[in-house]
Every structure is written in C-alpha cells, then in structure tokens.
Amino acid sequence: MTHPTSTEIAGRIEDLYGVPLATLEAHAQDQSAGILTALLGLHNTLALAEHSITVHRGRLAQLIHPERDISAHEMVHVLDCARRLAEAVAVRDTQAVTASAVLQSLVRIEPAEQPESPEQVDPPAPSPAPPTTTVPPAPPAAVTGSAPSR
C-alpha cells in the first residue's frame, strides 16, 4: 500500500492554507495549539520517519553486504537495525494515513469577493430590535420591627 510522502503532505497543507510551509511553521509558533499545529506535527513526524527509513535501510545494506562476514556480535547489530527500520516504517505508515485523513476532511474556504466600489455594496438590513421582557416590580418587602407582634 502506498502512502503519501512528507513532500506530498507538505504540498497539500500549502494548498489548504495557500501559503508556503515555512510561513505556516513561523505562524504556528506564535499561535496556540490548533489544527495547523497538528498538521505540521504530523508532517514533521512523517518526514523524520522517512529520514529514519533511509538511514536504517542504508545501514542494514552495509551490515549484510554479500562480501562481509557476519559474526554473532554483528548479528545483534543487524537485528537491531532491522527492528529500527520496521519501527520507522510503522511510524511512517501511521502518520501518512492520519495526515491524509485529516487533510481530506478539510477544505480551503476562498475569501468572499470584495466589491470594487461602494455603490455595489448593499447596506445591511437593520437588525430587529431585541425582544423586550417586562418584569413586574417585586412587592414591597415586609417591614419587621423589633417590637413583638400581637
């Protein structure tokens, strides 16, 4: 199953927001957590996983090169590298599916067209007056004195 790469996800994020990823990252640093921060986090984790896959695949190819003898000591490194590669693939797959699903659920909303001249602007309809509720005044409170009642 092929998943979108971090480059494809970055392009989709840029298309959604209409600005370059670097600008979005700078903007997100000044904002509280939100969907943009989550999308950028998914993208960064996906990019890191892809880099990790490349590194561990290269290292594994070195370790199991046909001209190289693999001792018991080196076998531990082969297994560790294979485990790390598998973990990176799992992270990449999970992040790619999640980022893709989130991006599919979002759509870019184009800003409304601005009129060219003030004559084209219809004045807003006056809003109706808020409903009024009349509350009858409360009856006067009973006056109590210090004298005993009869």
Side-chain angles (χ1 to χ4, degrees), residues 16-113:
L16 179 66
Y17 284 91
V19 293
L21 199 63
T23 304
L24 290 171
E25 288 172 345
H27 175 73
Q29 290 177 354
D30 300 334
Q31 304 297 317
S32 60
I35 192 69
L36 176 60
T37 306
L39 284 172
L40 294 174
L42 285 169
H43 170 260
N44 289 337
T45 304
L46 178 59
L48 181 62
E50 289 173 344
H51 176 72
S52 184
I53 290 169
T54 302
V55 168
H56 292 299
R57 188 182 324 153
R59 179 67 179 137
L60 190 57
Q62 286 177 339
L63 290 170
I64 61 170
H65 192 273
E67 296 175 3
R68 183 179 174 146
D69 290 331
I70 301 175
S71 67
H73 174 73
E74 289 175 334
M75 191 58 180
V76 172
H77 294 290
V78 170
L79 292 173
D80 183 56
C81 190
R83 179 189 57 81
R84 290 174 188 250
L85 178 59
E87 287 175 354
V89 168
V91 169
R92 186 228 21 222
D93 291 352
T94 302
Q95 295 299 319
V97 168
T98 303
S100 185
V102 171
L103 285 168
Q104 285 177 354
S105 72
L106 301 173
V107 293
R108 182 173 184 193
I109 299 175
E110 298 295 330
E113 291 185 26

Side-chain angles (χ1 to χ4, degrees), residues 3-14:
H3 298 291
T5 64
S6 62
T7 305
E8 292 168 341
I9 294 294
R12 290 171 65 184
I13 293 170
E14 288 174 342

